[in-house]
């Protein structure tokens, strides 16, 4: 159904996120008939910028980044409802007249005072903008009108800064008004994890330490750091990917069943399991982690230079572009089960997956194939690019003798569903408009994520260059990441 009338307000309307994702997602929603009947987009601009110029620039962005062929009448309908208002986040006084301007606009557009403020701005601007919106009363919910705030990761750079940011936002807006985006939750394959686990009767009985040997989460990227040197060098693979994206996967795979499918229950269970990740002592954190940095190599036929030669990266940088961790979760379901997480840039293949390795069959009744040579039982949740689910198991090779080999049963989305190509933001934006927070991070979940990676951040900082290992661009990552599993008698799942 269509959301209630609303004003969709964009800070950072001239920026990359707006052009590349927000407007193309709004376009797709419009094409699917999922924008409100009374709707307007308000672009917040610094100095009076002509609406026509902004509209043209957004139209160019749409033509460039649209995921579907652009229909002129739909595009004109979306961009036709654009209005510019002036405010400058670095000049608080410029917010003073905003309240009046909104009231006037809302009466004209019939949007009933419902406002969604989308902060498509650098994270340092989240708190200052929110503070100004709060000061002039634009976030106050009254007379049945809702006021919402949308922000996207990074939420802090460590536990202390994440807490400080949450504290500042929560001083002004209530938790139910804040929509913290982790774009992994916009992916169908990620949303499907809960359906796989809880809409089927056969997985949950074996989804625990009695049957699961260990779990591997892999987010390998082919992309090198490229033009993001200044952001990335201050951030690194761990901060950039683990407490957010990898932990979204981890928490969905390991959480207890929520009593109902609503934002409170689901987010409480997710935060609960992240809070149960065992805190590692500094020496354990070093022993249970690998940090790597790429040097020159080839990804496919494309040559990639040393990470340290990337523009805006320090020539003696010790920032990791690859991280692998071993974690454990201290609760009844998972005690003793290792979780291996890895993510890196400039690798040979793009692969995002969760591989659940089940315990081996206990007894070698098939003499010709010793039990340790049976192929491994994996349930693989393919997030990208192999979107689907694969089950690996053993089968008798046809013939007069008993010989056993591993085979795969595969479900692929593309074989079953014909979804129109999307940006991955449609569901998230639609959910903000209908007021459903399930797919957004709550403050406690964000903090639990940082809490779990903080020992690694601290131990790595202290170790400096010690322990930083190299790997070649275009490879599978550092050999030390294989050793991390080999030590426990395991290996990363090979692509078949
Ligand atoms: C972003 C990170 O949050 O996620 C990027 O900042 C990374 O460094 C990206 O490339 C990965 O997203 P996806 O959807 O391509 O796996």
């Amino acid at each position: 159904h269509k959301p209630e009338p609303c004003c969709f307000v964009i800070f950072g309307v001239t920026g990359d996120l707006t052009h590349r994702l927000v407007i193309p997602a709004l376009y797709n929603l419009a094409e699917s008939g999922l924008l409100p009947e009374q709707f307007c987009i308000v672009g917040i601009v610094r100095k009076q910028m002509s609406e026509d110029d902004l509209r043209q620039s957004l139209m160019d962005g749409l033509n460039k980044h649209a995921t579907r062929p652009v229909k002129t009448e739909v595009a004109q309908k979306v961009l036709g409802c654009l209005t510019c208002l002036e405010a400058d986040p670095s000049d608080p006084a410029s917010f003073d007249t905003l309240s009046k301007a909104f009231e006037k606009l809302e009466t004209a557009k019939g949007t009933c005072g419902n406002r969604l403020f989308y902060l498509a701005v650098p994270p340092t601007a989240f708190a200052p903008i929110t503070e100004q919106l709060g000061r002039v009363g634009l976030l106050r919910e009254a007379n049945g009108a809702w006021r919402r705030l949308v922000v996207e990761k990074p939420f802090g750079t460590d536990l202390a800064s994440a807490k400080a940011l949450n504290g500042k936002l929560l001083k002004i807006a209530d938790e139910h008004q804040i929509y913290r985006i982790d774009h992994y939750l916009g992916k169908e394959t990620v949303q499907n994890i809960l359906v796989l686990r809880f809409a089927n009767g056969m997985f949950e009985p074996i989804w625990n330490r009695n049957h699961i040997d260990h779990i591997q989460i892999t987010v390998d990227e082919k992309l090198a750091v490229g033009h993001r040197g200044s952001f990335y060098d201050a951030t690194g693979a761990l901060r950039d990917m683990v407490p957010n994206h990898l932990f979204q996967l981890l928490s969905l795979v390991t959480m207890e069943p929520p009593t109902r499918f609503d934002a409170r229950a689901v987010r409480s269970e997710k935060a609960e399991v992240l809070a149960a990740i065992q805190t590692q002592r500094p020496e354990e954190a070093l022993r249970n982690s690998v940090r790597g940095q790429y040097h020159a190599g080839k990804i496919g036929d494309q040559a990639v230079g040393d990470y340290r030669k990337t523009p805006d990266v320090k020539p003696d940088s010790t920032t990791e572009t690859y991280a692998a961790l071993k974690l454990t979760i201290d609760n009844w379901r998972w005690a003793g089960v290792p979780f291996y997480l890895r993510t890196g840039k400039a690798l040979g293949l793009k692969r995002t997956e969760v591989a659940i390795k089940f315990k081996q069959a206990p007894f070698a009744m098939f003499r010709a194939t010793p039990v340790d040579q049976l192929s491994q039982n994996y349930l693989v949740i393919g997030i990208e690019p192999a979107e689907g689910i694969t089950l690996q198991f053993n089968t008798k090779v046809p013939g007069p003798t008993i010989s056993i080999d591993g085979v795969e049963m595969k479900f692929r989305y593309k074989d079953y569903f014909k979804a129109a190509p999307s940006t991955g933001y449609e569901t998230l934006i639609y959910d903000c408009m209908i007021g459903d927070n399930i797919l957004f991070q709550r403050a406690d979940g964000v903090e639990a994520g940082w809490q779990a990676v903080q020992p690694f951040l601290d131990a790595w900082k202290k170790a400096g260059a010690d322990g930083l290992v190299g790997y070649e661009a275009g490879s599978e990552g550092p050999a030390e990441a294989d050793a991390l599993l080999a030590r426990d008698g395991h290996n990363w799942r090979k692509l078949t």
Side-chain angles (χ1 to χ4, degrees):
H1 67 275
K2 282 182 188 286
E4 292 171 358
C6 84
C7 246
F8 193 99
V9 189
I10 309 177
F11 280 83
V13 69
T14 56
D16 177 61
L17 179 63
T18 304
H19 284 73
R20 204 164 36 85
L21 290 162
V22 180
I23 297 295
L26 286 173
Y27 172 88
N28 288 346
L29 286 171
E31 202 200 57
S32 312
L34 291 174
L35 284 188
E37 220 45 85
Q38 276 82 38
F39 183 66
C40 79
I41 303 176
V42 180
I44 304 290
V45 290
R46 271 170 203 263
K47 9 183 186 1
Q48 197 50 49
M49 177 178 193
S50 111
E51 257 160 35
D52 286 341
D53 288 351
L54 180 60
R55 193 171 293 121
Q56 188 55 49
S57 148
L58 294 173
M59 184 67 94
D60 295 345
L62 177 62
N63 283 322
K64 191 158 159 213
H65 300 289
T67 60
R68 311 173 187 171
V70 177
K71 294 182 189 149
T72 316
E73 69 283 8
V74 181
Q76 279 171 352
K77 198 165 169 220
V78 175
L79 293 173
C81 66
L82 173 84
T83 304
C84 288
L85 289 180
E86 208 176 317
D88 179 352
S90 62
D91 171 18
S94 68
F95 282 70
D96 291 349
T97 51
L98 217 47
S99 221
K100 280 265 164 310
F102 265 104
E103 279 163 27
K104 213 169 128 202
L105 185 72
E106 286 164 344
T107 313
K109 304 273 184 181
T111 53
C112 308
N114 296 326
R115 299 172 197 150
L116 188 152
F117 294 97
Y118 199 113
L119 307 194
V121 294
T124 46
F126 293 166
I129 292 178
T130 307
E131 276 155 13
Q132 291 315 315
L133 291 175
R135 180 178 66 80
V136 299
L138 282 167
L139 283 170
R140 201 175 312 121
E141 299 194 306
N143 308 323
W146 50 258
R147 310 280 149 88
R148 297 179 187 142
L149 195 63
V150 183
V151 285
E152 178 157 1
K153 82 158 256 270
F155 309 120
T157 53
D158 57 12
L159 180 58
S161 55
K163 279 187 169 167
L165 176 62
N166 281 333
K168 283 184 187 162
L169 299 186
L170 287 167
K171 238 183 181 168
I172 297 149
D174 189 78
E175 181 63 53
H176 79 268
Q177 296 176 272
I178 306 177
Y179 290 71
R180 296 179 193 80
I181 292 188
D182 180 309
H183 80 278
Y184 265 52
L185 291 174
K187 296 182 195 281
E188 285 292 344
T189 43
V190 175
Q191 293 169 21
N192 189 44
I193 295 174
L194 289 192
V195 176
L196 174 79
R197 286 188 58 194
F198 301 127
N200 294 298
M202 71 245 217
F203 298 117
E204 203 50 22
I206 55 169
W207 209 263
N208 56 51
R209 63 194 299 272
N210 300 324
H211 302 278
I212 291 179
D213 183 71
H214 70 270
I215 293 184
Q216 306 176 2
I217 301 182
T218 299
V219 183
D220 283 354
E221 294 187 86
K222 276 165 86 168
L223 278 183
V225 171
H227 60 272
R228 297 171 77 212
S230 115
F231 159 77
Y232 199 85
D233 207 38
T235 305
L238 181 61
R239 287 188 167 90
D240 189 34
M241 300 295 287
V242 178
N244 30 65
H245 306 326
L246 275 84
F247 278 7
Q248 289 302 328
L249 300 176
L250 178 71
S251 58
L252 290 168
V253 167
T254 57
M255 67 193 267
E256 291 303 311
T259 43
R260 49 175 78 82
F261 191 62
D262 68 21
R264 190 203 55 79
V266 170
R267 299 193 300 174
S268 297
E269 294 301 349
K270 285 173 69 185
E272 197 65 30
V273 77
L274 290 180
I277 295 175
Q278 191 176 41
T279 309
Q280 310 207 11
R281 290 191 296 274
E283 63 280 12
E284 291 171 324
L286 289 179
R287 184 174 140 75
N288 290 327
S289 66
V290 174
R291 34 179 198 138
Q293 192 185 69
Y294 65 83
H295 48 75
K298 260 185 149 185
I299 305 176
D301 50 17
Q302 187 153 7
V304 174
D306 286 345
Y307 170 70
R308 289 181 181 180
K309 295 198 179 125
T310 308
D312 303 322
V313 166
K314 287 199 259 12
D316 58 350
S317 169
T318 56
T319 300
E320 79 287 354
T321 60
Y322 182 101
L325 308 179
K326 175 183 169 183
L327 303 173
T328 47
I329 295 178
D330 281 343
N331 66 18
W332 279 73
R333 186 191 285 264
W334 297 116
V337 177
F339 291 83
Y340 303 104
L341 280 60
R342 62 175 169 170
T343 182
K345 297 269 185 215
L347 298 167
L349 274 181
K350 174 162 174 72
R351 153 154 75 145
T352 304
E353 68 170 37
V354 179
I356 295 138
K357 162 87 166 49
F358 289 91
K359 292 193 169 166
Q360 289 292 99
F363 169 63
M365 62 183 255
F366 309 108
R367 300 266 156 78
T369 311
V371 76
D372 59 352
Q373 281 173 27
L374 288 175
S375 132
Q376 311 195 347
N377 289 157
Y378 278 111
L379 178 70
V380 183
I381 303 174
I383 307 295
E384 247 179 330
E387 301 182 310
I389 291 165
T390 303
L391 189 62
Q392 274 180 225
F393 55 98
N394 288 294
T395 295
K396 177 181 172 298
V397 178
T401 57
I402 288 278
S403 157
I404 297 174
D405 205 356
V407 295
E408 289 186 340
M409 220 151 71
K410 278 187 185 165
F411 151 65
R412 289 287 173 267
Y413 279 76
K414 62 174 167 28
D415 298 336
Y416 283 79
F417 306 114
K418 297 271 168 289
S422 70
T423 61
Y425 277 63
E426 288 77 3
T427 310
L428 298 175
I429 290 179
Y430 176 77
D431 283 359
C432 294
M433 291 193 287
I434 63 167
D436 182 350
N437 312 62
I438 285 195
L439 295 178
F440 298 85
Q441 287 189 275
R442 207 169 60 187
D444 56 343
V446 170
E447 290 171 21
W450 282 114
Q451 171 102 41
V453 298
Q454 193 65 48
F456 297 95
L457 292 174
D458 293 342
W460 289 1
K461 187 167 177 208
K462 202 156 168 224
D466 279 354
L468 179 71
V469 297
Y471 65 98
E472 193 182 329
S475 70
E476 285 181 29
E480 286 78 357
D482 295 333
L484 181 71
L485 272 70
R487 199 173 79 192
D488 300 340
H490 300 138
N491 52 270
W492 295 105
R493 188 184 88 92
K494 291 258 171 293
L495 281 182
T496 47

